[in-house]
Amino acid sequence: AQSVTQPDIHITVSEGASLELRCNYSYGATPYLFWYVQSPGQGLQLLLKYFSGDTLVQGIKGFEAEFKRSQSSFNLRKPSVHWSDAAEYFCAVDNNNDMRFGAGTRLTVKP
Amino acid sequence: NAGVMQNPRHLVRRRGQEARLRCSPMKGHSHVYWYRQLPEEGLKFMVYLQKENIIDESGMPKERFSAEFPKEGPSILRIQQVVRGDSAAYFCASSPMGGTNTGELFFGEGSRLTVL
């Protein structure tokens, strides 16, 4: 079955530390890949997306993600986390206009 | 260019009542998606619609839930005879049609349903 997996439900990092949020998918072909962020009480905002080409994509707010076909992964990274990055992060996969989301990873940032 | 508009933002219903949630997609967008987010859970796909057509409703409960996206007016998610388990945030997202569709979804701020 097609699925999107975010293995980490909750991650806590210190401000200034690096961050990596994991995402794996299982689809037959390479779908479009996305990362969204949701602040409390808000809708989702697109951070970045991958369609094709360079497997390292840059997004807003200093985030980047790397597509690894061999691992069916699209992990999100940030070299230095800010307190304002505390939020819920969702990986999403679009396979022919069928958009599915992972369960989300909640990020807590310690001072 | 206004974003995706959802209303009401908050809705309180008693068990057995009906809930109607509205979503106006961004201008020029003809694809609408509804998702449900339960507390401490991620987004669960419910239904995907284009104008006057339901494309995929595989995520929507067979009973009590229905959705439409008429030729004119907003998309409506309707929940009949609500139960406490329906309490959740319901998010609408839209995307443009055809060749302009880059796969990105644009989200509304959600409608939060509380069933007493």
Side-chain angles (χ1 to χ4, degrees):
Chain A
Q2 299 172 338
S3 67
V4 183
T5 303
Q6 292 181 247
D8 305 306
I9 297 173
H10 187 197
I11 283 183
T12 300
V13 299
S14 298
E15 190 169 14
S18 63
L19 171 71
E20 182 169 27
L21 303 182
R22 296 183 289 165
C23 174
N24 294 92
Y25 65 91
S26 65
Y27 282 83
T30 300
Y32 295 165
L33 301 162
F34 304 80
W35 275 98
Y36 285 84
V37 60
Q38 183 185 31
S39 297
Q42 300 295 314
L44 276 71
Q45 180 185 20
L46 181 70
L47 281 176
L48 48 77
K49 57 189 176 186
Y50 172 79
F51 290 167
S52 64
D54 192 349
T55 56
L56 183 64
V57 293
Q58 304 296 320
I60 62 172
K61 304 183 181 185
F63 285 91
E64 66 178 26
E66 185 171 12
F67 168 58
K68 292 186 177 179
R69 185 188 305 275
S70 60
Q71 298 175 20
S72 296
S73 69
F74 189 56
N75 293 350
L76 181 72
R77 300 195 294 250
K78 186 169 184 177
S80 177
V81 168
H82 189 262
W83 65 266
S84 61
D85 293 325
E88 187 98 20
Y89 291 82
F90 293 93
C91 179
V93 171
D94 181 352
N95 186 35
N96 196 25
N97 276 335
D98 181 8
M99 180 76 89
R100 302 298 167 119
F101 287 80
T105 298
R106 181 175 300 279
L107 174 65
T108 298
V109 181
K110 293 190 302 184
Chain B
N1 187 13
V4 177
M5 304 300 292
Q6 289 189 249
N7 70 84
R9 291 293 309 279
H10 299 275
L11 182 64
V12 179
R13 286 287 179 266
R14 297 191 179 280
R15 281 180 296 171
Q17 292 184 319
E18 178 179 288
R20 282 190 181 227
L21 310 178
R22 296 173 190 77
C23 170
S24 296
M26 287 182 68
K27 186 177 180 181
H29 287 195
S30 61
H31 298 218
V32 167
Y33 303 76
W34 284 94
Y35 292 85
R36 177 164 62 177
Q37 185 176 37
L38 293 166
E40 304 303 317
E41 295 188 19
L43 285 167
K44 299 296 184 186
F45 168 79
M46 298 183 73
V47 62
Y48 163 38
L49 310 104
Q50 295 179 19
K51 284 284 188 182
E52 300 183 278
N53 286 305
I54 296 175
I55 306 303
D56 181 356
E57 57 182 348
S58 60
M60 202 150 68
K62 296 288 188 290
E63 307 288 329
R64 303 187 297 108
F65 284 73
S66 62
E68 62 177 11
F69 188 18
K71 185 177 180 180
E72 301 291 337
S75 175
I76 306 286
L77 179 67
R78 182 182 178 203
I79 311 172
Q80 295 178 290
Q81 299 174 326
V82 296
V83 301
R84 288 215 175 105
D86 297 332
S87 296
Y90 293 83
F91 287 93
C92 171
S94 71
S95 67
M97 64 178 290
T100 57
N101 191 344
T102 61
E104 178 182 353
L105 293 184
F106 295 81
F107 281 83
E109 294 189 331
S111 292
R112 283 154 183 81
L113 172 66
T114 300
V115 180
L116 301 177

